[in-house]
Amino acid sequence: DAGGIELAVTALQAHPQVAGVQQDGCLAMANVCVGSDATGLAHKQRAADAGGIELVVAALQAHPQVAEVQEEGCAALRNVCSGTDAAGRARKQRAAAAGAIEA
């Protein structure tokens, strides 16, 4: 991933009101956090540990009328929160607590 998770997190943090940056940050996170192999699971957890879940939810909340942010944000949440193990369930709970259901 060559630092893609950290780059996405930094961009989402630095420019919360810029819809294009939020869209691209969510897209990057969605793309890096794919797969159910050991690498994919590690990326999902790294994104969650870096605050990615909360930042994606914040992007969804900040740009409710921007379809592209909504689309990429939902894709990012889907990928980061996937998994049926304890860590996957914890990521889902974290997303719900951050407001993902309402967003």
Side-chain angles (χ1 to χ4, degrees):
D1 74 300
I5 293 167
E6 291 76 12
L7 184 61
V9 165
T10 299
L12 290 169
Q13 287 174 327
H15 305 284
Q17 296 305 318
V18 182
V21 172
Q22 298 301 294
Q23 176 188 344
D24 290 345
C26 290
L27 173 63
M29 194 168 301
N31 286 339
V32 172
C33 295
V34 296
S36 57
D37 61 353
T39 300
L41 294 174
H43 287 174
K44 295 169 197 296
Q45 195 57 48
R46 213 165 91 217
D49 292 343
I53 291 170
E54 292 81 4
L55 288 166
V56 169
V57 171
L60 293 169
Q61 293 170 335
H63 304 282
Q65 301 302 320
V66 182
E68 296 83 1
V69 173
Q70 297 298 307
E71 180 180 345
E72 302 303 346
C74 288
L77 286 176
R78 177 192 65 228
N79 289 354
V80 172
C81 295
S82 67
T84 57
D85 61 344
R89 288 190 301 275
R91 290 189 300 269
K92 288 176 184 69
Q93 290 174 340
R94 190 168 170 177
I101 296 170
E102 295 82 11

